[in-house]
PDB file of all heavy atoms in Angstrom:
ATOM      1  N   GLY A   1       0.846  -1.207   0.000  1.00 40.00           N
ATOM      2  CA  GLY A   1       0.001   0.008   0.066  1.00 40.00           C
ATOM      3  C   GLY A   1       0.833   1.221  -0.001  1.00 40.00           C
ATOM      4  O   GLY A   1       2.076   1.241  -0.070  1.00 40.00           O
ATOM      5  N   CYS A   2       0.128   2.365   0.001  1.00 37.00           N
ATOM      6  CA  CYS A   2       0.898   3.643  -0.054  1.00 37.00           C
ATOM      7  C   CYS A   2       1.775   3.899   1.124  1.00 37.00           C
ATOM      8  O   CYS A   2       1.395   3.362   2.216  1.00 37.00           O
ATOM      9  CB  CYS A   2      -0.165   4.753  -0.193  1.00 37.00           C
ATOM     10  SG  CYS A   2      -1.195   4.694  -1.614  1.00 37.00           S
ATOM     11  N   SER A   3       2.753   4.696   1.018  1.00 35.00           N
ATOM     12  CA  SER A   3       3.545   4.944   2.173  1.00 35.00           C
ATOM     13  C   SER A   3       2.952   5.993   3.108  1.00 35.00           C
ATOM     14  O   SER A   3       2.091   6.866   2.589  1.00 35.00           O
ATOM     15  CB  SER A   3       4.957   5.331   1.765  1.00 35.00           C
ATOM     16  OG  SER A   3       4.957   6.669   1.205  1.00 35.00           O
ATOM     17  N   SER A   4       3.247   5.979   4.328  1.00 34.00           N
ATOM     18  CA  SER A   4       2.613   6.982   5.318  1.00 34.00           C
ATOM     19  C   SER A   4       3.670   8.103   5.441  1.00 34.00           C
ATOM     20  O   SER A   4       4.837   7.833   5.620  1.00 34.00           O
ATOM     21  CB  SER A   4       2.328   6.266   6.593  1.00 34.00           C
ATOM     22  OG  SER A   4       2.069   7.140   7.588  1.00 34.00           O
ATOM     23  N   THR A   5       3.146   9.281   5.618  1.00 34.00           N
ATOM     24  CA  THR A   5       3.951  10.445   5.985  1.00 34.00           C
ATOM     25  C   THR A   5       3.897  10.804   7.471  1.00 34.00           C
ATOM     26  O   THR A   5       4.606  11.573   7.944  1.00 34.00           O
ATOM     27  CB  THR A   5       3.700  11.561   5.065  1.00 34.00           C
ATOM     28  OG1 THR A   5       2.355  12.015   5.259  1.00 34.00           O
ATOM     29  CG2 THR A   5       4.038  11.363   3.642  1.00 34.00           C
ATOM     30  N   GLY A   6       2.950  10.108   8.156  1.00 35.00           N
ATOM     31  CA  GLY A   6       2.900  10.327   9.570  1.00 35.00           C
ATOM     32  C   GLY A   6       3.856   9.491  10.321  1.00 35.00           C
ATOM     33  O   GLY A   6       4.576   8.722   9.740  1.00 35.00           O
ATOM     34  N   SER A   7       3.917   9.703  11.653  1.00 34.00           N
ATOM     35  CA  SER A   7       4.805   8.795  12.439  1.00 34.00           C
ATOM     36  C   SER A   7       3.924   7.970  13.328  1.00 34.00           C
ATOM     37  O   SER A   7       2.825   8.265  13.664  1.00 34.00           O
ATOM     38  CB  SER A   7       5.734   9.786  13.220  1.00 34.00           C
ATOM     39  OG  SER A   7       4.956  10.558  14.113  1.00 34.00           O
ATOM     40  N   SER A   8       4.550   6.907  13.839  1.00 34.00           N
ATOM     41  CA  SER A   8       3.942   6.066  14.827  1.00 34.00           C
ATOM     42  C   SER A   8       4.977   5.543  15.733  1.00 34.00           C
ATOM     43  O   SER A   8       6.140   5.735  15.608  1.00 34.00           O
ATOM     44  CB  SER A   8       3.254   4.947  13.994  1.00 34.00           C
ATOM     45  OG  SER A   8       4.263   4.174  13.372  1.00 34.00           O
ATOM     46  N   ASP A   9       4.452   4.865  16.772  1.00 35.00           N
ATOM     47  CA  ASP A   9       5.440   4.321  17.748  1.00 35.00           C
ATOM     48  C   ASP A   9       6.077   3.155  17.150  1.00 35.00           C
ATOM     49  O   ASP A   9       5.436   2.238  16.651  1.00 35.00           O
ATOM     50  CB  ASP A   9       4.589   3.880  19.022  1.00 35.00           C
ATOM     51  CG  ASP A   9       5.394   3.039  20.011  1.00 35.00           C
ATOM     52  OD1 ASP A   9       6.639   3.234  19.975  1.00 35.00           O
ATOM     53  OD2 ASP A   9       4.798   2.459  20.853  1.00 35.00           O
ATOM     54  N   THR A  10       7.382   3.126  17.067  1.00 34.00           N
ATOM     55  CA  THR A  10       8.171   2.052  16.459  1.00 34.00           C
ATOM     56  C   THR A  10       8.861   1.193  17.490  1.00 34.00           C
ATOM     57  O   THR A  10       9.873   0.537  17.144  1.00 34.00           O
ATOM     58  CB  THR A  10       9.178   2.642  15.492  1.00 34.00           C
ATOM     59  OG1 THR A  10      10.091   3.438  16.198  1.00 34.00           O
ATOM     60  CG2 THR A  10       8.434   3.368  14.350  1.00 34.00           C
ATOM     61  N   SER A  11       8.456   1.237  18.683  1.00 34.00           N
ATOM     62  CA  SER A  11       9.164   0.430  19.778  1.00 34.00           C
ATOM     63  C   SER A  11       8.843  -0.970  19.820  1.00 34.00           C
ATOM     64  O   SER A  11       9.160  -1.658  20.703  1.00 34.00           O
ATOM     65  CB  SER A  11       8.922   1.185  21.087  1.00 34.00           C
ATOM     66  OG  SER A  11       7.564   1.104  21.377  1.00 34.00           O
ATOM     67  N   SER A  12       7.991  -1.447  18.837  1.00 34.00           N
ATOM     68  CA  SER A  12       7.565  -2.883  18.934  1.00 34.00           C
ATOM     69  C   SER A  12       8.733  -3.816  18.907  1.00 34.00           C
ATOM     70  O   SER A  12       9.631  -3.790  17.999  1.00 34.00           O
ATOM     71  CB  SER A  12       6.618  -3.104  17.704  1.00 34.00           C
ATOM     72  OG  SER A  12       6.395  -4.497  17.530  1.00 34.00           O
ATOM     73  N   SER A  13       8.779  -4.777  19.717  1.00 35.00           N
ATOM     74  CA  SER A  13       9.879  -5.750  19.696  1.00 35.00           C
ATOM     75  C   SER A  13       9.645  -6.778  18.577  1.00 35.00           C
ATOM     76  O   SER A  13      10.501  -7.587  18.347  1.00 35.00           O
ATOM     77  CB  SER A  13       9.898  -6.471  21.088  1.00 35.00           C
ATOM     78  OG  SER A  13       8.665  -7.128  21.285  1.00 35.00           O
ATOM     79  N   ALA A  14       8.408  -6.822  17.882  1.00 37.00           N
ATOM     80  CA  ALA A  14       8.200  -7.655  16.822  1.00 37.00           C
ATOM     81  C   ALA A  14       8.878  -7.147  15.597  1.00 37.00           C
ATOM     82  O   ALA A  14       8.962  -7.921  14.631  1.00 37.00           O
ATOM     83  CB  ALA A  14       6.650  -7.726  16.568  1.00 37.00           C
ATOM     84  N   SER A  15       9.341  -5.947  15.511  1.00 37.00           N
ATOM     85  CA  SER A  15       9.922  -5.404  14.355  1.00 37.00           C
ATOM     86  C   SER A  15      11.361  -4.874  14.678  1.00 37.00           C
ATOM     87  O   SER A  15      11.416  -3.589  14.773  1.00 37.00           O
ATOM     88  CB  SER A  15       9.111  -4.322  13.718  1.00 37.00           C
ATOM     89  OG  SER A  15       7.894  -4.886  13.244  1.00 37.00           O
ATOM     90  N   PRO A  16      12.376  -5.575  14.843  1.00 39.00           N
ATOM     91  CA  PRO A  16      13.681  -5.075  15.260  1.00 39.00           C
ATOM     92  C   PRO A  16      14.157  -4.115  14.119  1.00 39.00           C
ATOM     93  O   PRO A  16      13.909  -4.359  12.976  1.00 39.00           O
ATOM     94  CB  PRO A  16      14.456  -6.241  15.358  1.00 39.00           C
ATOM     95  CG  PRO A  16      13.698  -7.459  15.260  1.00 39.00           C
ATOM     96  CD  PRO A  16      12.364  -7.098  14.712  1.00 39.00           C
ATOM     97  N   LYS A  17      14.850  -3.086  14.536  1.00 38.00           N
ATOM     98  CA  LYS A  17      15.398  -2.132  13.595  1.00 38.00           C
ATOM     99  C   LYS A  17      16.622  -1.524  14.179  1.00 38.00           C
ATOM    100  O   LYS A  17      16.865  -1.527  15.373  1.00 38.00           O
ATOM    101  CB  LYS A  17      14.332  -1.218  13.120  1.00 38.00           C
ATOM    102  CG  LYS A  17      14.026  -0.134  14.200  1.00 38.00           C
ATOM    103  CD  LYS A  17      13.218   0.876  13.574  1.00 38.00           C
ATOM    104  CE  LYS A  17      12.917   1.856  14.761  1.00 38.00           C
ATOM    105  NZ  LYS A  17      12.101   2.937  14.477  1.00 38.00           N
ATOM    106  N   ALA A  18      17.395  -0.969  13.361  1.00 39.00           N
ATOM    107  CA  ALA A  18      18.530  -0.240  13.778  1.00 39.00           C
ATOM    108  C   ALA A  18      18.641   1.004  12.917  1.00 39.00           C
ATOM    109  O   ALA A  18      18.329   0.956  11.738  1.00 39.00           O
ATOM    110  CB  ALA A  18      19.866  -1.107  13.670  1.00 39.00           C
ATOM    111  N   THR A  19      19.159   2.024  13.484  1.00 36.00           N
ATOM    112  CA  THR A  19      19.418   3.252  12.773  1.00 36.00           C
ATOM    113  C   THR A  19      20.887   3.664  12.949  1.00 36.00           C
ATOM    114  O   THR A  19      21.436   3.301  13.984  1.00 36.00           O
ATOM    115  CB  THR A  19      18.539   4.502  13.111  1.00 36.00           C
ATOM    116  OG1 THR A  19      18.718   4.731  14.478  1.00 36.00           O
ATOM    117  CG2 THR A  19      17.100   4.201  12.811  1.00 36.00           C
ATOM    118  N   SER A  20      21.526   4.250  12.029  1.00 36.00           N
ATOM    119  CA  SER A  20      22.832   4.666  12.050  1.00 36.00           C
ATOM    120  C   SER A  20      22.920   6.169  12.147  1.00 36.00           C
ATOM    121  O   SER A  20      22.192   6.846  11.497  1.00 36.00           O
ATOM    122  CB  SER A  20      23.666   4.227  10.793  1.00 36.00           C
ATOM    123  OG  SER A  20      24.913   4.706  10.800  1.00 36.00           O
ATOM    124  N   SER A  21      23.770   6.630  13.047  1.00 35.00           N
ATOM    125  CA  SER A  21      23.930   8.103  13.138  1.00 35.00           C
ATOM    126  C   SER A  21      24.996   8.548  12.176  1.00 35.00           C
ATOM    127  O   SER A  21      25.218   9.793  12.124  1.00 35.00           O
ATOM    128  CB  SER A  21      24.245   8.464  14.594  1.00 35.00           C
ATOM    129  OG  SER A  21      25.485   7.788  14.983  1.00 35.00           O
ATOM    130  N   ALA A  22      25.625   7.669  11.475  1.00 36.00           N
ATOM    131  CA  ALA A  22      26.709   8.017  10.555  1.00 36.00           C
ATOM    132  C   ALA A  22      26.083   8.833   9.417  1.00 36.00           C
ATOM    133  O   ALA A  22      25.023   8.526   8.977  1.00 36.00           O
ATOM    134  CB  ALA A  22      27.383   6.867  10.009  1.00 36.00           C
ATOM    135  N   ALA A  23      26.760   9.947   9.054  1.00 37.00           N
ATOM    136  CA  ALA A  23      26.235  10.807   7.950  1.00 37.00           C
ATOM    137  C   ALA A  23      26.326  10.078   6.666  1.00 37.00           C
ATOM    138  O   ALA A  23      27.470   9.665   6.282  1.00 37.00           O
ATOM    139  CB  ALA A  23      26.929  12.170   7.967  1.00 37.00           C
ATOM    140  N   VAL A  24      25.218   9.992   5.943  1.00 37.00           N
ATOM    141  CA  VAL A  24      25.314   9.371   4.637  1.00 37.00           C
ATOM    142  C   VAL A  24      24.599  10.315   3.711  1.00 37.00           C
ATOM    143  O   VAL A  24      23.543  10.860   4.029  1.00 37.00           O
ATOM    144  CB  VAL A  24      24.525   7.981   4.558  1.00 37.00           C
ATOM    145  CG1 VAL A  24      24.481   7.418   3.216  1.00 37.00           C
ATOM    146  CG2 VAL A  24      25.326   6.981   5.436  1.00 37.00           C
ATOM    147  N   ALA A  25      25.060  10.548   2.498  1.00 38.00           N
ATOM    148  CA  ALA A  25      24.546  11.518   1.564  1.00 38.00           C
ATOM    149  C   ALA A  25      23.081  11.026   1.216  1.00 38.00           C
ATOM    150  O   ALA A  25      22.947   9.869   0.915  1.00 38.00           O
ATOM    151  CB  ALA A  25      25.393  11.640   0.318  1.00 38.00           C
ATOM    152  N   PRO A  26      22.135  12.045   1.123  1.00 40.00           N
ATOM    153  CA  PRO A  26      20.806  11.652   0.667  1.00 40.00           C
ATOM    154  C   PRO A  26      20.972  11.045  -0.818  1.00 40.00           C
ATOM    155  O   PRO A  26      21.776  11.354  -1.527  1.00 40.00           O
ATOM    156  CB  PRO A  26      20.076  12.891   0.753  1.00 40.00           C
ATOM    157  CG  PRO A  26      20.800  13.813   1.737  1.00 40.00           C
ATOM    158  CD  PRO A  26      22.230  13.370   1.580  1.00 40.00           C
ATOM    159  N   ALA A  27      19.911  10.351  -1.199  1.00 42.00           N
ATOM    160  CA  ALA A  27      19.882   9.659  -2.513  1.00 42.00           C
ATOM    161  C   ALA A  27      20.029  10.626  -3.661  1.00 42.00           C
ATOM    162  O   ALA A  27      20.515  10.195  -4.662  1.00 42.00           O
ATOM    163  CB  ALA A  27      18.650   8.837  -2.538  1.00 42.00           C
ATOM    164  N   GLU A  28      19.564  11.784  -3.461  1.00 47.00           N
ATOM    165  CA  GLU A  28      19.510  12.633  -4.760  1.00 47.00           C
ATOM    166  C   GLU A  28      20.974  13.249  -5.050  1.00 47.00           C
ATOM    167  O   GLU A  28      21.129  13.949  -6.045  1.00 47.00           O
ATOM    168  CB  GLU A  28      18.543  13.785  -4.686  1.00 47.00           C
ATOM    169  CG  GLU A  28      18.727  14.902  -3.685  1.00 47.00           C
ATOM    170  CD  GLU A  28      18.391  14.714  -2.239  1.00 47.00           C
ATOM    171  OE1 GLU A  28      18.001  13.588  -1.902  1.00 47.00           O
ATOM    172  OE2 GLU A  28      18.436  15.610  -1.408  1.00 47.00           O
ATOM    173  N   LYS A  29      21.906  13.138  -4.057  1.00 51.00           N
ATOM    174  CA  LYS A  29      23.182  13.730  -4.266  1.00 51.00           C
ATOM    175  C   LYS A  29      24.156  12.829  -5.096  1.00 51.00           C
ATOM    176  O   LYS A  29      24.008  11.622  -4.978  1.00 51.00           O
ATOM    177  CB  LYS A  29      23.834  13.991  -2.893  1.00 51.00           C
ATOM    178  CG  LYS A  29      23.057  15.147  -2.138  1.00 51.00           C
ATOM    179  CD  LYS A  29      23.869  15.589  -0.952  1.00 51.00           C
ATOM    180  CE  LYS A  29      23.096  16.686  -0.225  1.00 51.00           C
ATOM    181  NZ  LYS A  29      23.671  17.131   0.958  1.00 51.00           N
ATOM    182  N   PRO A  30      25.063  13.361  -5.763  1.00 50.00           N
ATOM    183  CA  PRO A  30      25.923  12.547  -6.608  1.00 50.00           C
ATOM    184  C   PRO A  30      26.717  11.660  -5.615  1.00 50.00           C
ATOM    185  O   PRO A  30      27.110  12.046  -4.574  1.00 50.00           O
ATOM    186  CB  PRO A  30      26.938  13.675  -7.261  1.00 50.00           C
ATOM    187  CG  PRO A  30      26.109  14.852  -7.235  1.00 50.00           C
ATOM    188  CD  PRO A  30      25.218  14.797  -6.032  1.00 50.00           C
ATOM    189  N   GLY A  31      26.987  10.391  -6.073  1.00 54.00           N
ATOM    190  CA  GLY A  31      27.733   9.502  -5.322  1.00 54.00           C
ATOM    191  C   GLY A  31      26.871   8.664  -4.348  1.00 54.00           C
ATOM    192  O   GLY A  31      27.445   7.773  -3.741  1.00 54.00           O
ATOM    193  N   ALA A  32      25.626   9.034  -4.130  1.00 85.00           N
ATOM    194  CA  ALA A  32      24.778   8.257  -3.307  1.00 85.00           C
ATOM    195  C   ALA A  32      24.539   6.847  -3.993  1.00 85.00           C
ATOM    196  O   ALA A  32      24.451   6.735  -5.145  1.00 85.00           O
ATOM    197  CB  ALA A  32      23.446   8.938  -3.037  1.00 85.00           C
ATOM    198  N   LEU A  33      24.315   5.853  -3.099  1.00 94.00           N
ATOM    199  CA  LEU A  33      24.106   4.473  -3.677  1.00 94.00           C
ATOM    200  C   LEU A  33      22.713   4.292  -4.158  1.00 94.00           C
ATOM    201  O   LEU A  33      21.675   4.833  -3.660  1.00 94.00           O
ATOM    202  CB  LEU A  33      24.317   3.435  -2.546  1.00 94.00           C
ATOM    203  CG  LEU A  33      25.695   3.372  -2.029  1.00 94.00           C
ATOM    204  CD1 LEU A  33      25.685   2.247  -0.806  1.00 94.00           C
ATOM    205  CD2 LEU A  33      26.684   2.925  -3.003  1.00 94.00           C
ATOM    206  N   THR A  34      22.494   3.499  -5.250  1.00 97.00           N
ATOM    207  CA  THR A  34      21.312   3.099  -5.721  1.00 97.00           C
ATOM    208  C   THR A  34      20.915   1.841  -4.899  1.00 97.00           C
ATOM    209  O   THR A  34      21.810   1.300  -4.204  1.00 97.00           O
ATOM    210  CB  THR A  34      21.171   2.679  -7.174  1.00 97.00           C
ATOM    211  OG1 THR A  34      22.060   1.486  -7.375  1.00 97.00           O
ATOM    212  CG2 THR A  34      21.656   3.888  -8.040  1.00 97.00           C
ATOM    213  N   ALA A  35      19.733   1.301  -4.904  1.00 98.00           N
ATOM    214  CA  ALA A  35      19.402   0.065  -4.232  1.00 98.00           C
ATOM    215  C   ALA A  35      20.149  -1.144  -4.698  1.00 98.00           C
ATOM    216  O   ALA A  35      20.620  -1.865  -3.923  1.00 98.00           O
ATOM    217  CB  ALA A  35      17.878  -0.215  -4.380  1.00 98.00           C
ATOM    218  N   GLN A  36      20.366  -1.180  -6.007  1.00 98.00           N
ATOM    219  CA  GLN A  36      21.219  -2.268  -6.588  1.00 98.00           C
ATOM    220  C   GLN A  36      22.575  -2.193  -6.065  1.00 98.00           C
ATOM    221  O   GLN A  36      23.241  -3.242  -5.734  1.00 98.00           O
ATOM    222  CB  GLN A  36      21.141  -2.253  -8.161  1.00 98.00           C
ATOM    223  CG  GLN A  36      21.925  -3.331  -8.731  1.00 98.00           C
ATOM    224  CD  GLN A  36      21.853  -3.305 -10.308  1.00 98.00           C
ATOM    225  OE1 GLN A  36      21.237  -2.406 -10.876  1.00 98.00           O
ATOM    226  NE2 GLN A  36      22.366  -4.325 -10.922  1.00 98.00           N
ATOM    227  N   GLN A  37      23.214  -1.043  -6.050  1.00 98.00           N
ATOM    228  CA  GLN A  37      24.587  -0.896  -5.461  1.00 98.00           C
ATOM    229  C   GLN A  37      24.597  -1.199  -3.959  1.00 98.00           C
ATOM    230  O   GLN A  37      25.621  -1.839  -3.541  1.00 98.00           O
ATOM    231  CB  GLN A  37      25.104   0.510  -5.722  1.00 98.00           C
ATOM    232  CG  GLN A  37      25.254   0.899  -7.230  1.00 98.00           C
ATOM    233  CD  GLN A  37      25.436   2.333  -7.358  1.00 98.00           C
ATOM    234  OE1 GLN A  37      24.960   3.233  -6.714  1.00 98.00           O
ATOM    235  NE2 GLN A  37      26.228   2.749  -8.462  1.00 98.00           N
ATOM    236  N   ALA A  38      23.513  -0.820  -3.202  1.00 98.00           N
ATOM    237  CA  ALA A  38      23.575  -1.159  -1.853  1.00 98.00           C
ATOM    238  C   ALA A  38      23.420  -2.641  -1.613  1.00 98.00           C
ATOM    239  O   ALA A  38      24.127  -3.212  -0.723  1.00 98.00           O
ATOM    240  CB  ALA A  38      22.340  -0.450  -1.101  1.00 98.00           C
ATOM    241  N   VAL A  39      22.657  -3.342  -2.431  1.00 98.00           N
ATOM    242  CA  VAL A  39      22.645  -4.825  -2.321  1.00 98.00           C
ATOM    243  C   VAL A  39      23.901  -5.500  -2.609  1.00 98.00           C
ATOM    244  O   VAL A  39      24.387  -6.355  -1.861  1.00 98.00           O
ATOM    245  CB  VAL A  39      21.516  -5.408  -3.219  1.00 98.00           C
ATOM    246  CG1 VAL A  39      21.612  -6.887  -3.361  1.00 98.00           C
ATOM    247  CG2 VAL A  39      20.172  -4.910  -2.758  1.00 98.00           C
ATOM    248  N   ALA A  40      24.648  -4.922  -3.642  1.00 98.00           N
ATOM    249  CA  ALA A  40      26.000  -5.433  -3.949  1.00 98.00           C
ATOM    250  C   ALA A  40      26.983  -5.232  -2.845  1.00 98.00           C
ATOM    251  O   ALA A  40      27.690  -6.123  -2.477  1.00 98.00           O
ATOM    252  CB  ALA A  40      26.485  -4.781  -5.166  1.00 98.00           C
TER     253      ALA A  40
END
C-alpha cells in the first residue's frame, strides 16, 4: 500500500530495527548508492 508520511510508535519488539547516526549523503546527491549498489 501507499507509504505513510505520519509517524507512529516504532518500539515494537516484533519489528527489530537499527538506525545509524553516521552521515550518509541523501539519495539525490551525486555519489549516493542506488538500491542495486547497496545490495551489492
Side-chain angles (χ1 to χ4, degrees):
C2 300
S3 71
S4 169
T5 56
S7 64
S8 64
D9 176 15
T10 61
S11 60
S12 170
S13 61
S15 298
K17 69 175 182 178
T19 58
S20 171
S21 59
V24 173
E28 76 273 8
K29 293 190 178 177
L33 295 176
T34 66
Q36 183 175 3
Q37 292 167 330
V39 168

